[in-house]
Amino acid sequence: MALCAGILGAQGTGGVNALSQRDKPYVVMISFDGFRADYLQRIGLPNFDRVVQRGVRSVGMIPVFPSKTFPNHYSLVTGMYSETHGLVGNRFWDPERNAAYSMSDTVAVLDASWYRGEPIWATAEKQGLVAASFFWVASEAPIGGVRPSLWKKYDGRVANEARVDSVLSWLAMPADRRPHMVTMYFSTVDNAGHASGPLSPQVDSAAKHLDGALGRLLDGIDRLPDVKDRTYIVLVADHGMSEVGPRWYVGLDTVIDMTGVQLAEGGTLANLHVKGGAARAAVLRDSINKRMKFGRAHLRADVPASLHYNKDPRIGDIVVVMNDHWTIGMASRPPREGGTHGWDPTYPNMHALFAASGPGIAAGKVIPTFENIDIYPWIAELLGLKPAKDIDGKSGRLKRLIEAAQK
């Protein structure tokens, strides 16, 4: 796969670290899509355990709502809830643009105007640190005119071992060009969870495969004398996974008249854009709640505050929030037996992996569950960067949890 150069305008580094920044540490953040927090204890994973034994893990990490891939990967690197950064689902309708966004739409994915906030790679690049990304949501788009200096266009066919070897080659570059902020992504566990469910042997096998890839990365970093003692390894996931099947399904078109109703995205929640104004939306909300027992419909303004999901018009006029296991959509398209995600982030099954090791992090500690919006300001602290304004995460909050565990 060809390497892409992502420097646009004068805001990036041009692929060269500022002289004043070259003594900074390195951060390698790896996303294991769909890696539920409890997989660490359930599955024997010696290389994941290497990171845990060298550093900390959390009981769990709480995703943003909806607990889906695109919203949460972008929250991890911006410190924002989905209503703030604009990725309110893997797919959504923007009534102001009169256009749809979908994670499978290459044109939309590359269009920076869909994204709000400042990703950590842009924060680094704008402050003189070279950044790199081997796949991450939004890393292909020039957000604020900046991409990582090194980046890859997403191609799920690229072998996990090849991803690791590319990252190791970046970390072996001369110090002036070596990236200090690296993100990388693996989908193997998520794919297995969707196909076979979170408790399946297929998920165990997928996790063990990625444990081998992680070991390859850790061994490679240990062989880099200029990097190994200055590197933070941060293991994260975007969400957990729970069982689904046709027995836990509601056909929306059997509950309400869908005339003038646009279903932007279904599944564990439904975003409905309604023609006919607020009065009709209220009638439809009440009809759904009268006829459906396994979830709750809300007008956008009335979505529970705990979900942080009511500011953005990209969110539907009506938001249907389903109970764990239950999904909603058109009656003709029930899910197969397997797994999915997207429910209320407070459900333990939605909680995600977090573990980290590196300079100054005490070994073998466990911290409480925390929200993933605190990852961005914490990484900014590790790298001595000034975080972007107007984020939802709080500087110092994750740092204090880690420091408290070390006492």
Side-chain angles (χ1 to χ4, degrees), residues 302-341:
D302 300 327
V303 172
S306 62
L307 296 180
H308 302 280
Y309 201 68
N310 54 34
K311 290 181 182 177
D312 196 325
R314 294 173 176 179
I315 299 164
D317 301 307
I318 299 171
V319 181
V320 185
V321 181
M322 301 302 288
N323 296 350
D324 195 8
H325 300 298
W326 285 86
T327 58
I328 189 168
M330 304 305 286
S332 61
R333 300 177 65 183
R336 295 177 295 176
E337 296 288 340
T340 198
H341 46 86

Side-chain angles (χ1 to χ4, degrees), residues 183-251:
T183 60
M184 62 186 307
Y185 169 81
F186 299 112
S187 62
T188 312
V189 167
D190 186 66
N191 295 341
H194 279 294
S196 304
L199 303 180
S200 65
Q202 289 87 343
V203 164
D204 291 20
S205 296
K208 290 175 181 177
H209 171 76
L210 289 184
D211 186 72
L214 176 59
R216 188 185 187 99
L217 177 69
L218 297 176
D219 290 344
I221 291 174
D222 284 346
R223 290 192 293 267
L224 297 173
D226 295 335
V227 172
K228 66 176 183 176
D229 295 325
R230 301 168 57 197
T231 300
Y232 292 92
I233 302 294
V234 182
L235 312 182
V236 297
D238 47 353
H239 52 69
M241 187 74 65
S242 198
E243 297 87 353
V244 292
R247 65 188 182 279
W248 295 310
Y249 187 67
V250 174

Side-chain angles (χ1 to χ4, degrees), residues 52-120:
V52 171
Q53 290 163 7
R54 293 176 178 180
V56 300
R57 69 169 177 88
S58 67
V59 175
M61 185 169 65
I62 302 170
V64 302
F65 184 80
S67 48
K68 294 190 174 186
T69 297
F70 266 49
N72 277 280
H73 274 96
Y74 202 51
S75 290
L76 283 162
V77 294
T78 62
M80 292 176 164
Y81 293 116
S82 61
E83 67 175 4
T84 309
H85 62 53
L87 293 189
V88 299
N90 288 340
R91 301 169 187 84
F92 55 87
W93 174 258
D94 187 330
E96 295 180 349
R97 298 170 67 120
N98 195 33
Y101 178 99
S102 171
M103 64 180 186
S104 61
D105 180 347
T106 302
V107 174
V109 166
L110 291 171
D111 182 352
S113 68
W114 283 103
Y115 307 97
R116 298 193 289 267
E118 180 178 279
I120 188 63

Side-chain angles (χ1 to χ4, degrees), residues 270 285-286 288-290 292-298 304 318-323:
R285 174 204 59 189
D286 293 343
I288 294 169
N289 288 335
K290 182 180 293 187
M292 187 181 70
K293 299 179 180 178
F294 306 106
R296 189 75 181 169
H298 310 271
I318 299 171
V319 181
V320 185
V321 181
M322 301 302 288
N323 296 350

Side-chain angles (χ1 to χ4, degrees), residues 361-407:
I361 297 179
K365 302 296 183 178
V366 179
I367 64 172
T369 300
F370 68 95
E371 292 184 85
N372 71 4
I373 56 170
D374 285 338
I375 291 287
Y376 167 87
W378 176 64
I379 291 178
E381 290 169 334
L382 294 179
L383 292 173
L385 301 173
K386 183 179 180 180
K389 296 179 180 179
D390 300 323
I391 66 172
D392 297 307
K394 300 297 183 184
S395 294
R397 193 155 56 186
L398 179 53
K399 180 181 178 182
R400 287 191 292 272
L401 284 181
I402 293 172
E403 289 176 345
Q406 296 174 184
K407 295 178 180 178

